[in-house]
């Protein structure tokens, strides 16, 4: 093939590659637009009153943002600040307990060779397939007998046993935790608990961060179990308060307050994502690879 023909062919392939790249960028840009548009719509509606919202969507913000914020925070029937505090407490403790104890359990099965090791792993996987709704009635009845019916403790303490987080941690350790490091620490006289906290946890930090995000968001958005357990207004979490505000009497119904409360509810989740987002892609990719 002559040089001019090769040059023409090379230009043609480059042109096809550029067109494909532009198409990918356009598609990804469209997806980003769809994701961000709903947040933009939420912020716009949070700045409008009920009458304006009922007129339809507008691309321009209204002038009722501060009014809606003031009405939401000062609503005597909706203790927003205590709801934020309760949700933050439950979500943060759930994320911490789930990631730490699941990592410890995964390390125990990964690092130790005991008789019923495979049976224990299989049992945890079977528990992972059980829906929450199946055990909800028995769980609520047990909390009633233990005197924890109207308490935040049952909302975060069961996170210690998180089979889904355990499975992800186990997959991550299989591909990224060499036993030579653990054995070297044992030879140097490190205790098992010290080895886990000072050597294993830093290695699995990307997986811990990813699961902390997912667990935090799951606990933050959880409505089913808190609605069954919590009765007093001061202990209710934000999802319950949002549902309570949406089911208000027609004469007192304020769509601006509803959108404002939803806006307030997503701010902590966005902050958590921004703080830990750099670990998401790396943690998910490495956790899915088995060495």
């Amino acid at each position: 093939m002559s040089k001019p023909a090769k040059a023409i062919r090379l230009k043609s392939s480059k042109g096809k590659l550029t067109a494909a790249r532009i198409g990918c960028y356009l598609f990804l840009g469209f997806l980003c637009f769809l994701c961000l548009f709903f947040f933009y719509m939420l912020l716009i509606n949070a700045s409008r009153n009920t009458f304006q919202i009922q007129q339809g969507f507008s691309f321009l913000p209204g002038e009722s943002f501060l009014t809606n914020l003031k009405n939401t925070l000062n609503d005597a029937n909706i203790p927003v600040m205590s709801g934020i505090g309760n949700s933050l407490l439950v979500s943060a403790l759930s994320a911490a307990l789930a990631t730490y104890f699941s990592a410890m359990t995964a390390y125990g099965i990964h690092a130790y060779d005991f008789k019923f090791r495979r049976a224990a792993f299989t049992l945890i996987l079977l528990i992972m397939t059980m829906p929450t709704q199946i055990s909800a009635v028995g769980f609520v009845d047990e909390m009633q007998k233990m005197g924890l019916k109207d308490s935040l403790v049952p909302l975060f303490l069961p996170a210690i046993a998180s089979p889904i987080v355990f499975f992800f941690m186990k997959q991550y350790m299989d591909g990224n935790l060499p036993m030579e490091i653990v054995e070297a620490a044992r030879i140097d006289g490190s205790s098992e608990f010290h080895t886990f906290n000072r050597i294993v946890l830093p290695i699995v930090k990307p997986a811990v961060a990813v699961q902390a995000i997912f667990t935090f968001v799951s606990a933050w958005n959880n409505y089913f179990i808190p609605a069954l357990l919590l009765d007093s207004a001061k202990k209710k979490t934000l999802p319950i308060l949002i549902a309570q505000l949406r089911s208000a009497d027609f004469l007192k119904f304020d769509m601006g307050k509803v959108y404002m409360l939803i806006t307030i509810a997503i701010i902590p989740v966005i902050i958590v994502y921004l703080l830990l987002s750099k670990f998401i892609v790396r943690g998910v990719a490495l956790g899915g690879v088995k060495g």
Side-chain angles (χ1 to χ4, degrees):
M1 185 180 293
S2 62
K3 289 185 178 180
K6 287 183 179 180
I8 293 173
R9 187 171 182 181
L10 187 60
K11 288 182 180 180
S12 176
S13 62
K14 285 184 177 180
K16 291 180 180 180
L17 200 63
T18 305
R21 185 176 297 175
I22 292 175
C24 290
Y25 286 153
L26 290 175
F27 179 70
L28 292 176
F30 177 69
L31 291 180
C32 290
F33 170 77
L34 289 181
C35 294
L36 297 177
F37 175 75
F38 296 104
F39 288 103
Y40 178 76
M41 183 172 64
L42 178 63
L43 293 175
I44 291 297
N45 287 336
S47 66
R48 306 167 74 201
N49 55 42
T50 302
F51 177 76
Q52 292 173 333
I53 294 174
Q54 290 175 345
Q55 298 302 310
F57 176 72
S58 172
F59 283 95
L60 299 177
E63 300 177 353
S64 303
F65 187 89
L66 295 178
T67 302
N68 292 335
L69 179 61
K70 182 180 179 181
N71 293 338
T72 303
L73 296 178
N74 294 334
D75 193 333
N77 298 320
I78 307 293
V80 177
M81 298 309 297
S82 65
I84 294 175
N86 294 335
S87 292
L88 281 175
L89 178 65
V90 171
S91 301
L93 288 177
S94 296
L97 293 174
T99 52
Y100 183 79
F101 286 97
S102 295
M104 184 180 292
T105 307
Y107 172 70
I109 293 183
H110 174 77
Y112 299 102
D113 188 11
F114 51 93
K115 186 174 183 180
F116 297 103
R117 174 183 176 184
R118 186 175 296 274
F121 181 72
T122 305
L123 179 62
I124 295 175
L125 293 185
L126 290 176
I127 296 174
M128 184 175 66
T129 62
M130 183 180 299
T132 307
Q133 292 79 1
I134 293 179
S135 59
V137 176
F139 178 72
V140 173
D141 184 62
E142 192 67 25
M143 293 303 103
Q144 179 76 43
K145 294 178 180 177
M146 296 175 65
L148 297 174
K149 178 66 164 60
D150 191 24
S151 172
L152 297 177
V153 174
L155 300 182
F156 63 80
L157 195 60
I160 292 177
S162 300
I164 296 177
V165 181
F166 156 80
F167 178 75
F168 185 88
M169 293 291 184
K170 179 66 168 58
Q171 294 295 102
Y172 189 90
M173 289 181 182
D174 287 344
N176 300 277
L177 180 61
M179 284 302 299
E180 289 79 6
I181 297 178
V182 177
E183 292 170 357
R186 292 171 179 170
I187 293 173
D188 289 339
S190 175
S191 65
E192 295 298 322
F193 195 67
H194 181 270
T195 301
F196 173 75
N197 287 309
R198 300 299 297 272
I199 297 175
V200 176
L201 275 184
I203 293 176
V204 300
K205 184 171 66 173
V208 170
V210 170
Q211 290 307 307
I213 292 175
F214 293 158
T215 307
F216 183 92
V217 174
S218 177
W220 183 269
N221 296 327
N222 188 16
Y223 171 79
F224 181 65
I225 297 296
L228 296 176
L229 290 174
L230 303 178
D231 297 322
S232 58
K234 289 296 182 180
K235 293 184 178 179
K236 291 183 178 179
T237 56
L238 272 180
I240 299 178
L241 297 181
I242 293 174
Q244 184 176 330
L245 187 60
R246 292 184 62 186
S247 61
D249 183 64
F250 178 78
L251 297 176
K252 301 179 181 179
F253 188 71
D254 189 345
M255 284 296 296
K257 289 171 60 176
V258 173
Y259 280 106
M260 177 56 67
L261 187 56
I262 296 174
T263 303
I264 294 173
I266 67 172
I267 291 176
V269 177
I270 294 176
I271 293 175
V272 171
Y273 267 110
L274 291 177
L275 292 176
L276 301 177
S277 60
K278 63 180 180 180
F279 296 105
I280 292 180
V281 176
R282 181 172 54 178
V284 171
L286 292 177
V289 176
K290 224 176 170 182

